[in-house]
Amino acid sequence: MAVENIAKALGDESRRKIIELLKEGELPATAIFDQFEYAAPTISRHLSVLKDAGLVSTRRNGVFIYYSLEKDALRQLDEWLSPFLPKAKAAPKEKSNPVPKIPKENPFDKFQSEF
């Protein structure tokens, strides 16, 4: 699985949408086909490109084909890209110092002192 093949496969918007659909888990081909307005052979070709790039795998159950995401291929792409991306900064910790309470003055206190 070369990074070039993975990048080429992800270069198409329809294939990226298929990847997004599969991020929640395995789906039958029919469920993927239902998400597009294209003819089934077109989507089948996109699935084939993703499979050839190592991004998806298939499992046959009777007449149904189930597709699932191969996260190792995405990790390989992530490892290649990580030197080019800024390091993630840790979220700043909240200070545990409580906010000091400001005593509220009674507005009538100053008037009582004048009398």
Side-chain angles (χ1 to χ4, degrees):
M1 288 178 283
V3 173
E4 299 86 28
N5 293 337
I6 295 169
K8 285 179 185 178
L10 293 175
D12 183 86
E13 183 179 353
S14 297
R15 292 193 283 268
R16 288 192 306 270
K17 183 176 178 181
I18 292 170
I19 294 293
E20 288 183 29
L21 291 170
L22 293 173
K23 75 179 176 183
E24 299 300 322
E26 183 180 68
L27 287 174
T30 55
I32 297 170
F33 294 157
D34 290 343
Q35 299 298 315
F36 294 90
E37 295 180 8
Y38 307 125
T42 302
I43 301 305
S44 194
R45 176 68 185 137
H46 286 305
L47 288 165
S48 178
V49 170
L50 291 170
K51 186 176 178 183
D52 291 345
L55 288 164
V56 298
S57 60
T58 58
R59 177 180 67 87
R60 191 174 278 279
N61 186 5
V63 296
F64 297 101
I65 300 174
Y66 290 83
Y67 287 87
S68 58
L69 192 58
E70 285 294 326
K71 295 183 180 177
D72 288 338
L74 294 175
R75 281 190 198 97
Q76 184 179 0
L77 183 62
D78 181 52
E79 288 172 7
W80 186 83
L81 287 172
S82 62
F84 302 101
L85 301 173
K87 301 284 186 226
K89 293 181 181 178
K93 294 181 180 179
E94 292 185 26
K95 294 181 180 179
S96 60
N97 298 340
V99 178
K101 292 185 178 180
I102 301 172
K104 292 187 178 183
E105 294 182 20
N106 185 343
F108 295 106
D109 284 346
K110 69 179 185 179
F111 292 118
Q112 290 177 356
S113 63
E114 293 177 5
F115 292 110

Coordinates of all heavy atoms in Angstrom, one line a residue, residues 22-106:
L22 N -18.1 4.7 5.9 CA -17.5 3.5 6.5 C -16.9 3.7 7.9 O -16.5 2.8 8.6 CB -16.6 2.8 5.6 CG -17.2 2.2 4.3 CD1 -16.1 1.7 3.4 CD2 -18.2 1.1 4.7
K23 N -16.7 5.0 8.2 CA -16.0 5.3 9.5 C -16.8 4.8 10.7 O -16.2 4.5 11.7 CB -15.6 6.7 9.6 CG -16.8 7.6 9.9 CD -16.3 9.1 10.1 CE -17.5 10.0 10.3 NZ -17.1 11.4 10.4
E24 N -18.1 4.6 10.6 CA -18.9 4.1 11.7 C -18.9 2.6 11.7 O -19.4 2.0 12.7 CB -20.4 4.6 11.5 CG -20.5 6.1 11.6 CD -20.0 6.7 12.9 OE1 -20.2 6.1 13.9 OE2 -19.3 7.8 12.8
G25 N -18.5 1.9 10.7 CA -18.4 0.5 10.7 C -18.8 -0.1 9.3 O -19.0 0.6 8.3
E26 N -18.8 -1.4 9.3 CA -19.1 -2.2 8.1 C -20.5 -1.9 7.5 O -21.4 -1.7 8.2 CB -19.0 -3.7 8.4 CG -19.1 -4.6 7.3 CD -19.0 -6.0 7.7 OE1 -19.9 -6.5 8.5 OE2 -18.0 -6.7 7.4
L27 N -20.5 -1.8 6.2 CA -21.8 -1.6 5.5 C -21.9 -2.5 4.3 O -20.9 -2.8 3.6 CB -21.9 -0.1 4.9 CG -22.1 1.0 6.0 CD1 -22.0 2.3 5.2 CD2 -23.5 0.8 6.6
P28 N -23.1 -2.9 4.0 CA -23.3 -3.7 2.7 C -23.2 -2.8 1.5 O -23.5 -1.6 1.6 CB -24.7 -4.3 2.9 CG -25.4 -3.4 3.9 CD -24.4 -2.9 4.8
A29 N -22.9 -3.3 0.4 CA -22.7 -2.5 -0.8 C -24.0 -1.8 -1.1 O -24.0 -0.6 -1.5 CB -22.3 -3.4 -2.0
T30 N -25.2 -2.4 -0.9 CA -26.5 -1.8 -1.2 C -26.7 -0.5 -0.4 O -27.2 0.5 -0.9 CB -27.6 -2.8 -1.0 OG1 -27.6 -3.3 0.4 CG2 -27.6 -3.9 -2.0
A31 N -26.2 -0.5 0.9 CA -26.4 0.7 1.7 C -25.5 1.8 1.2 O -25.8 3.0 1.3 CB -26.0 0.4 3.1
I32 N -24.3 1.5 0.6 CA -23.4 2.5 0.1 C -24.0 3.0 -1.2 O -24.1 4.2 -1.5 CB -22.0 1.9 -0.2 CG1 -21.4 1.5 1.2 CG2 -21.1 2.9 -0.9 CD1 -20.1 0.7 1.1
F33 N -24.6 2.1 -2.1 CA -25.2 2.5 -3.4 C -26.3 3.5 -3.1 O -26.5 4.4 -3.9 CB -25.7 1.3 -4.1 CG -24.6 0.4 -4.6 CD1 -25.0 -1.0 -4.9 CD2 -23.3 0.7 -4.8 CE1 -24.0 -1.9 -5.4 CE2 -22.4 -0.1 -5.3 CZ -22.7 -1.4 -5.5
D34 N -27.1 3.3 -2.0 CA -28.2 4.1 -1.7 C -27.9 5.6 -1.4 O -28.7 6.4 -1.5 CB -29.1 3.5 -0.6 CG -29.8 2.2 -1.0 OD1 -29.9 2.0 -2.2 OD2 -30.2 1.5 0.0
Q35 N -26.6 5.8 -1.1 CA -26.2 7.1 -0.7 C -25.8 8.0 -1.9 O -25.5 9.2 -1.7 CB -25.0 7.1 0.3 CG -25.3 6.3 1.6 CD -26.4 7.0 2.4 OE1 -26.4 8.3 2.5 NE2 -27.4 6.3 2.8
F36 N -25.8 7.4 -3.1 CA -25.4 8.1 -4.3 C -26.5 8.1 -5.3 O -27.3 7.2 -5.4 CB -24.1 7.5 -4.9 CG -22.9 7.6 -4.0 CD1 -22.6 6.6 -3.0 CD2 -22.1 8.7 -4.1 CE1 -21.6 6.8 -2.2 CE2 -21.0 8.8 -3.2 CZ -20.7 7.9 -2.3
E37 N -26.4 9.1 -6.2 CA -27.4 9.1 -7.4 C -26.8 8.5 -8.6 O -27.4 8.4 -9.6 CB -27.8 10.6 -7.6 CG -28.6 11.2 -6.5 CD -29.0 12.6 -6.8 OE1 -28.8 13.1 -8.0 OE2 -29.4 13.3 -5.9
Y38 N -25.5 8.0 -8.5 CA -24.9 7.4 -9.6 C -25.4 5.9 -9.8 O -25.9 5.3 -8.9 CB -23.4 7.3 -9.4 CG -22.7 8.6 -9.1 CD1 -22.0 8.8 -8.0 CD2 -22.9 9.7 -9.9 CE1 -21.4 10.0 -7.7 CE2 -22.3 11.0 -9.6 CZ -21.5 11.1 -8.5 OH -20.9 12.3 -8.2
A39 N -25.1 5.4 -11.0 CA -25.5 4.0 -11.3 C -24.6 3.1 -10.4 O -23.4 3.4 -10.1 CB -25.3 3.7 -12.7
A40 N -25.1 1.9 -10.1 CA -24.3 1.0 -9.3 C -22.9 0.6 -9.8 O -22.0 0.6 -9.0 CB -25.2 -0.3 -9.0
P41 N -22.8 0.5 -11.1 CA -21.4 0.2 -11.6 C -20.4 1.3 -11.4 O -19.2 1.0 -11.1 CB -21.6 0.0 -13.1 CG -23.1 -0.4 -13.3 CD -23.8 0.3 -12.2
T42 N -20.9 2.5 -11.3 CA -20.0 3.6 -11.0 C -19.5 3.6 -9.6 O -18.3 3.7 -9.3 CB -20.7 5.0 -11.3 OG1 -21.1 5.0 -12.6 CG2 -19.8 6.2 -11.0
I43 N -20.4 3.3 -8.7 CA -20.0 3.2 -7.3 C -19.2 2.0 -7.1 O -18.2 1.9 -6.3 CB -21.3 3.2 -6.4 CG1 -22.1 4.5 -6.6 CG2 -20.9 3.0 -4.9 CD1 -21.3 5.7 -6.3
S44 N -19.5 0.9 -7.8 CA -18.7 -0.3 -7.7 C -17.3 -0.1 -8.1 O -16.3 -0.6 -7.5 CB -19.4 -1.4 -8.6 OG -18.9 -2.6 -8.3
R45 N -17.1 0.7 -9.1 CA -15.7 1.1 -9.6 C -15.0 1.9 -8.5 O -13.8 1.6 -8.2 CB -15.8 1.9 -10.9 CG -14.5 2.4 -11.4 CD -13.6 1.2 -11.9 NE -12.3 1.7 -12.2 CZ -11.2 1.1 -11.9 NH1 -11.2 0.0 -11.2 NH2 -10.0 1.7 -12.2
H46 N -15.7 2.8 -7.9 CA -15.1 3.6 -6.8 C -14.7 2.7 -5.6 O -13.6 2.8 -5.1 CB -16.0 4.7 -6.2 CG -16.2 5.8 -7.1 ND1 -15.1 6.6 -7.6 CD2 -17.3 6.4 -7.7 CE1 -15.6 7.6 -8.4 NE2 -16.9 7.5 -8.4
L47 N -15.5 1.7 -5.3 CA -15.2 0.8 -4.2 C -14.0 -0.1 -4.6 O -13.1 -0.4 -3.8 CB -16.4 -0.1 -3.9 CG -17.5 0.6 -3.2 CD1 -18.8 -0.3 -3.3 CD2 -17.2 0.9 -1.8
S48 N -13.9 -0.4 -5.9 CA -12.8 -1.2 -6.4 C -11.5 -0.4 -6.2 O -10.4 -1.0 -5.8 CB -13.0 -1.6 -7.8 OG -11.9 -2.3 -8.3
V49 N -11.5 0.9 -6.6 CA -10.3 1.7 -6.4 C -9.9 1.8 -5.0 O -8.7 1.7 -4.7 CB -10.6 3.1 -7.0 CG1 -9.4 4.1 -6.7 CG2 -10.7 3.0 -8.5
L50 N -10.8 1.9 -4.1 CA -10.5 2.0 -2.7 C -10.0 0.7 -2.2 O -9.0 0.7 -1.3 CB -11.8 2.4 -1.8 CG -12.3 3.8 -2.0 CD1 -13.7 4.0 -1.4 CD2 -11.3 4.8 -1.5
K51 N -10.5 -0.4 -2.7 CA -10.0 -1.7 -2.3 C -8.6 -1.9 -2.8 O -7.7 -2.4 -2.1 CB -10.9 -2.8 -2.8 CG -10.5 -4.2 -2.3 CD -11.5 -5.2 -2.7 CE -11.1 -6.6 -2.2 NZ -12.0 -7.7 -2.7
D52 N -8.3 -1.6 -4.0 CA -7.0 -1.7 -4.6 C -5.9 -0.9 -3.9 O -4.8 -1.2 -3.8 CB -7.0 -1.3 -6.1 CG -7.7 -2.3 -7.0 OD1 -8.0 -3.4 -6.5 OD2 -8.1 -2.0 -8.1
A53 N -6.4 0.3 -3.3 CA -5.5 1.1 -2.6 C -5.3 0.6 -1.1 O -4.5 1.2 -0.4 CB -6.0 2.6 -2.6
G54 N -6.0 -0.4 -0.7 CA -5.9 -0.9 0.6 C -6.7 -0.2 1.6 O -6.6 -0.4 2.8
L55 N -7.6 0.7 1.2 CA -8.4 1.5 2.1 C -9.7 0.8 2.6 O -10.2 1.1 3.7 CB -8.8 2.8 1.5 CG -7.7 3.8 1.3 CD1 -8.0 4.9 0.3 CD2 -7.3 4.4 2.7
V56 N -10.2 -0.1 1.9 CA -11.3 -0.9 2.3 C -11.1 -2.4 2.1 O -10.3 -2.8 1.3 CB -12.7 -0.5 1.6 CG1 -13.0 1.0 1.9 CG2 -12.6 -0.7 0.1
S57 N -11.8 -3.2 2.8 CA -11.8 -4.6 2.7 C -13.2 -5.1 2.5 O -14.1 -4.4 2.8 CB -11.1 -5.3 3.8 OG -11.8 -5.1 5.0
T58 N -13.3 -6.3 2.0 CA -14.7 -6.9 1.7 C -14.8 -8.2 2.5 O -13.9 -8.9 2.8 CB -14.9 -7.1 0.2 OG1 -13.9 -8.0 -0.3 CG2 -14.9 -5.8 -0.6
R59 N -16.1 -8.5 2.7 CA -16.5 -9.7 3.3 C -17.8 -10.2 2.6 O -18.7 -9.4 2.5 CB -16.8 -9.5 4.8 CG -17.3 -10.8 5.5 CD -17.5 -10.5 7.0 NE -18.6 -9.6 7.3 CZ -19.8 -9.9 7.4 NH1 -20.2 -11.2 7.3 NH2 -20.8 -9.0 7.6
R60 N -17.8 -11.4 2.1 CA -19.0 -11.9 1.4 C -19.8 -12.7 2.4 O -19.3 -13.5 3.1 CB -18.6 -12.7 0.2 CG -19.7 -13.0 -0.7 CD -19.2 -13.7 -1.9 NE -18.7 -12.8 -2.9 CZ -19.4 -12.2 -3.8 NH1 -20.7 -12.2 -3.7 NH2 -18.9 -11.4 -4.7
N61 N -21.2 -12.4 2.4 CA -22.1 -13.2 3.2 C -23.3 -13.6 2.2 O -24.2 -12.8 2.0 CB -22.6 -12.4 4.4 CG -23.5 -13.2 5.3 OD1 -23.7 -14.4 5.1 ND2 -24.1 -12.5 6.3
G62 N -23.2 -14.7 1.7 CA -24.2 -15.1 0.7 C -24.0 -14.3 -0.6 O -22.9 -14.3 -1.1
V63 N -25.1 -13.6 -1.0 CA -25.0 -12.8 -2.2 C -24.6 -11.4 -1.9 O -24.4 -10.6 -2.8 CB -26.3 -12.8 -3.0 CG1 -26.7 -14.2 -3.5 CG2 -27.5 -12.3 -2.1
F64 N -24.5 -11.1 -0.6 CA -24.2 -9.7 -0.2 C -22.7 -9.5 0.1 O -22.0 -10.4 0.6 CB -24.9 -9.3 1.1 CG -26.4 -9.3 1.0 CD1 -27.1 -10.4 1.4 CD2 -27.1 -8.3 0.3 CE1 -28.5 -10.5 1.3 CE2 -28.4 -8.3 0.2 CZ -29.2 -9.4 0.6
I65 N -22.2 -8.3 -0.3 CA -20.8 -8.0 -0.1 C -20.8 -6.8 0.9 O -21.5 -5.8 0.8 CB -20.1 -7.5 -1.4 CG1 -20.1 -8.7 -2.4 CG2 -18.6 -7.1 -1.1 CD1 -19.5 -8.3 -3.7
Y66 N -20.0 -7.0 2.0 CA -19.9 -6.0 3.0 C -18.5 -5.3 2.9 O -17.5 -6.0 2.8 CB -20.1 -6.6 4.4 CG -21.5 -7.1 4.7 CD1 -21.9 -8.3 4.3 CD2 -22.4 -6.3 5.4 CE1 -23.2 -8.7 4.5 CE2 -23.7 -6.7 5.6 CZ -24.1 -7.9 5.2 OH -25.4 -8.3 5.4
Y67 N -18.5 -4.0 3.1 CA -17.3 -3.2 3.0 C -17.0 -2.7 4.4 O -17.9 -2.2 5.1 CB -17.4 -2.1 2.0 CG -17.4 -2.6 0.6 CD1 -18.6 -3.0 0.0 CD2 -16.2 -2.6 -0.2 CE1 -18.6 -3.4 -1.4 CE2 -16.2 -3.1 -1.5 CZ -17.4 -3.5 -2.1 OH -17.4 -3.9 -3.3
S68 N -15.7 -2.7 4.7 CA -15.2 -2.0 5.9 C -14.0 -1.3 5.7 O -13.2 -1.5 4.8 CB -15.1 -3.1 7.0 OG -14.1 -4.1 6.6
L69 N -13.7 -0.3 6.5 CA -12.6 0.6 6.4 C -11.3 -0.1 7.0 O -11.4 -0.8 8.0 CB -12.9 1.8 7.2 CG -12.0 3.0 7.0 CD1 -11.9 3.5 5.6 CD2 -12.5 4.2 7.9
E70 N -10.2 0.0 6.2 CA -8.9 -0.5 6.7 C -8.2 0.7 7.3 O -7.5 1.5 6.6 CB -8.2 -1.1 5.5 CG -8.7 -2.5 5.1 CD -8.5 -3.5 6.1 OE1 -7.5 -3.5 6.9 OE2 -9.3 -4.4 6.2
K71 N -8.2 0.8 8.6 CA -7.6 1.9 9.3 C -6.1 1.9 9.2 O -5.5 3.0 9.4 CB -8.1 2.0 10.7 CG -9.6 2.3 10.7 CD -10.2 2.4 12.1 CE -11.7 2.7 11.9 NZ -12.3 2.8 13.2
D72 N -5.5 0.8 9.0 CA -4.0 0.7 8.9 C -3.5 1.6 7.7 O -2.5 2.2 7.8 CB -3.5 -0.7 8.7 CG -3.6 -1.5 10.0 OD1 -3.7 -0.9 11.1 OD2 -3.7 -2.7 9.9
A73 N -4.3 1.6 6.6 CA -3.9 2.4 5.4 C -4.0 3.9 5.8 O -3.1 4.7 5.4 CB -4.8 2.1 4.2
L74 N -5.0 4.3 6.5 CA -5.1 5.7 7.0 C -4.0 6.0 7.9 O -3.5 7.1 7.9 CB -6.5 5.9 7.6 CG -7.7 5.8 6.6 CD1 -9.0 5.9 7.3 CD2 -7.6 6.8 5.5
R75 N -3.6 5.1 8.8 CA -2.5 5.4 9.7 C -1.2 5.6 8.9 O -0.4 6.4 9.3 CB -2.3 4.2 10.7 CG -3.3 4.2 11.8 CD -3.0 3.2 12.9 NE -4.2 3.0 13.7 CZ -5.0 2.0 13.5 NH1 -4.8 1.1 12.6 NH2 -6.1 1.9 14.3
Q76 N -1.0 4.8 7.9 CA 0.2 4.9 7.0 C 0.2 6.3 6.4 O 1.2 7.0 6.4 CB 0.1 3.9 5.9 CG 1.4 3.9 5.1 CD 1.3 2.8 4.0 OE1 0.4 2.0 3.9 NE2 2.4 2.7 3.2
L77 N -1.0 6.8 6.0 CA -1.0 8.2 5.4 C -0.8 9.2 6.5 O -0.1 10.2 6.3 CB -2.4 8.4 4.7 CG -2.6 9.7 4.0 CD1 -1.7 9.9 2.9 CD2 -4.1 9.8 3.6
D78 N -1.3 9.0 7.7 CA -1.1 9.9 8.8 C 0.3 10.0 9.2 O 0.9 11.0 9.4 CB -2.0 9.4 10.0 CG -1.8 10.4 11.2 OD1 -2.0 11.6 11.0 OD2 -1.5 9.9 12.3
E79 N 1.0 8.8 9.2 CA 2.5 8.8 9.5 C 3.3 9.6 8.5 O 4.2 10.2 8.9 CB 3.0 7.3 9.6 CG 2.5 6.6 10.8 CD 2.8 5.1 10.8 OE1 3.6 4.7 9.9 OE2 2.3 4.4 11.7
W80 N 2.9 9.5 7.3 CA 3.6 10.2 6.2 C 3.4 11.7 6.3 O 4.3 12.5 6.1 CB 3.2 9.7 4.8 CG 4.0 10.3 3.8 CD1 5.3 9.9 3.3 CD2 3.7 11.5 3.0 NE1 5.7 10.8 2.4 CE2 4.8 11.7 2.1 CE3 2.6 12.3 3.0 CZ2 4.8 12.8 1.2 CZ3 2.6 13.4 2.1 CH2 3.7 13.6 1.2
L81 N 2.1 12.1 6.7 CA 1.8 13.5 6.8 C 2.2 14.2 8.0 O 2.4 15.4 8.1 CB 0.3 13.7 6.6 CG -0.3 13.5 5.2 CD1 -1.9 13.5 5.3 CD2 0.2 14.5 4.3
S82 N 2.4 13.4 9.1 CA 2.6 14.0 10.4 C 3.8 14.9 10.5 O 3.8 16.0 11.2 CB 2.6 13.0 11.5 OG 3.7 12.1 11.3
P83 N 5.0 14.7 9.8 CA 6.1 15.6 9.9 C 5.8 17.0 9.3 O 6.5 17.9 9.6 CB 7.2 14.9 9.1 CG 6.8 13.5 9.0 CD 5.3 13.4 9.1
F84 N 4.8 17.0 8.4 CA 4.4 18.3 7.8 C 3.4 19.1 8.6 O 3.2 20.3 8.3 CB 3.9 18.0 6.4 CG 4.8 17.3 5.5 CD1 4.6 15.9 5.3 CD2 5.9 17.9 4.9 CE1 5.5 15.2 4.5 CE2 6.8 17.2 4.1 CZ 6.6 15.8 3.9
L85 N 2.8 18.5 9.6 CA 1.8 19.2 10.3 C 2.4 19.7 11.7 O 3.2 19.1 12.2 CB 0.6 18.2 10.6 CG 0.0 17.7 9.4 CD1 -1.0 16.6 9.7 CD2 -0.7 18.7 8.6
P86 N 1.8 20.8 12.2 CA 2.3 21.3 13.5 C 1.9 20.3 14.6 O 0.9 19.6 14.5 CB 1.6 22.7 13.6 CG 0.4 22.6 12.7 CD 0.8 21.7 11.6
K87 N 2.8 20.3 15.6 CA 2.5 19.4 16.7 C 1.2 19.9 17.4 O 1.1 21.1 17.6 CB 3.7 19.4 17.7 CG 5.0 19.0 17.1 CD 5.0 17.5 16.9 CE 6.3 17.0 16.4 NZ 6.3 16.1 15.3
A88 N 0.4 19.0 17.8 CA -0.8 19.4 18.6 C -0.4 19.8 20.0 O 0.4 19.1 20.6 CB -1.8 18.2 18.6
K89 N -0.9 20.9 20.3 CA -0.6 21.5 21.7 C -1.6 20.9 22.7 O -2.8 20.7 22.3 CB -0.7 23.0 21.7 CG 0.4 23.6 20.9 CD 0.3 25.1 20.9 CE 1.4 25.8 20.1 NZ 1.3 27.2 20.1
A90 N -1.1 20.6 23.8 CA -2.0 20.1 24.9 C -3.0 21.3 25.3 O -2.6 22.4 25.3 CB -1.2 19.7 26.1
A91 N -4.2 20.9 25.5 CA -5.2 21.9 25.9 C -4.7 22.6 27.3 O -4.2 21.8 28.2 CB -6.5 21.3 26.1
P92 N -4.8 23.9 27.4 CA -4.4 24.5 28.6 C -5.2 24.0 29.8 O -6.4 23.9 29.6 CB -4.5 26.0 28.4 CG -5.4 26.1 27.2 CD -5.3 24.8 26.4
K93 N -4.6 23.8 30.9 CA -5.3 23.3 32.1 C -6.0 24.5 32.7 O -5.4 25.6 32.7 CB -4.4 22.7 33.1 CG -3.8 21.4 32.6 CD -2.9 20.7 33.6 CE -2.3 19.4 33.1 NZ -1.4 18.8 34.1
E94 N -7.2 24.3 33.2 CA -7.9 25.3 33.9 C -7.3 25.5 35.2 O -6.9 24.6 35.9 CB -9.4 25.0 34.0 CG -10.1 24.9 32.7 CD -11.6 24.7 32.9 OE1 -12.1 25.0 34.0 OE2 -12.2 24.2 32.0
K95 N -7.2 26.8 35.6 CA -6.6 27.1 36.9 C -7.6 26.7 38.0 O -8.8 26.9 37.8 CB -6.4 28.6 37.0 CG -5.3 29.0 36.1 CD -5.0 30.5 36.2 CE -3.9 30.9 35.3 NZ -3.6 32.3 35.4
S96 N -7.1 26.1 39.0 CA -8.0 25.6 40.0 C -8.2 26.7 41.1 O -8.9 26.4 42.1 CB -7.4 24.4 40.7 OG -6.1 24.7 41.3
N97 N -7.7 27.9 40.9 CA -7.9 29.0 41.8 C -9.4 29.4 41.7 O -9.8 29.8 40.6 CB -7.0 30.2 41.5 CG -5.5 29.8 41.7 OD1 -5.2 28.8 42.4 ND2 -4.7 30.6 41.1
P98 N -10.1 29.4 42.8 CA -11.5 29.8 42.7 C -11.5 31.3 42.5 O -10.6 32.1 43.0 CB -12.1 29.4 44.1 CG -10.9 29.3 45.0 CD -9.7 28.9 44.1
V99 N -12.6 31.8 41.9 CA -12.7 33.2 41.7 C -13.1 33.9 43.0 O -14.0 33.4 43.7 CB -13.9 33.5 40.7 CG1 -14.1 35.0 40.5 CG2 -13.6 32.8 39.4
P100 N -12.3 34.9 43.4 CA -12.6 35.4 44.8 C -14.0 36.1 44.7 O -14.4 36.8 43.8 CB -11.5 36.5 45.0 CG -11.0 36.7 43.6 CD -11.2 35.5 42.8
K101 N -14.7 35.9 45.8 CA -16.0 36.6 45.9 C -15.8 38.0 46.4 O -15.1 38.3 47.4 CB -16.9 35.8 46.9 CG -17.2 34.4 46.3 CD -18.2 33.7 47.2 CE -18.6 32.4 46.6 NZ -19.6 31.7 47.5
I102 N -16.5 38.9 45.8 CA -16.4 40.3 46.1 C -17.6 40.5 47.0 O -18.8 40.3 46.6 CB -16.4 41.2 44.9 CG1 -15.2 40.9 44.0 CG2 -16.5 42.7 45.3 CD1 -15.3 41.6 42.7
P103 N -17.4 41.0 48.3 CA -18.5 41.2 49.1 C -19.4 42.3 48.6 O -18.9 43.4 48.1 CB -17.9 41.6 50.5 CG -16.5 42.0 50.2 CD -16.1 41.3 48.9
K104 N -20.7 42.1 48.6 CA -21.6 43.1 48.1 C -21.9 44.1 49.2 O -22.2 43.7 50.3 CB -22.9 42.5 47.6 CG -22.7 41.6 46.3 CD -24.0 41.2 45.8 CE -23.8 40.4 44.5 NZ -25.1 40.0 43.9
E105 N -21.8 45.3 48.9 CA -22.1 46.4 49.9 C -23.6 46.7 49.9 O -24.3 46.6 48.8 CB -21.4 47.7 49.5 CG -19.9 47.5 49.6 CD -19.2 48.9 49.3 OE1 -19.9 49.9 49.4 OE2 -18.0 48.8 49.0
N106 N -24.1 46.9 51.0 CA -25.5 47.3 51.1 C -25.5 48.8 50.8 O -24.8 49.6 51.4 CB -25.9 47.1 52.6 CG -27.4 47.4 52.7 OD1 -28.0 48.1 51.9 ND2 -28.0 47.0 53.8

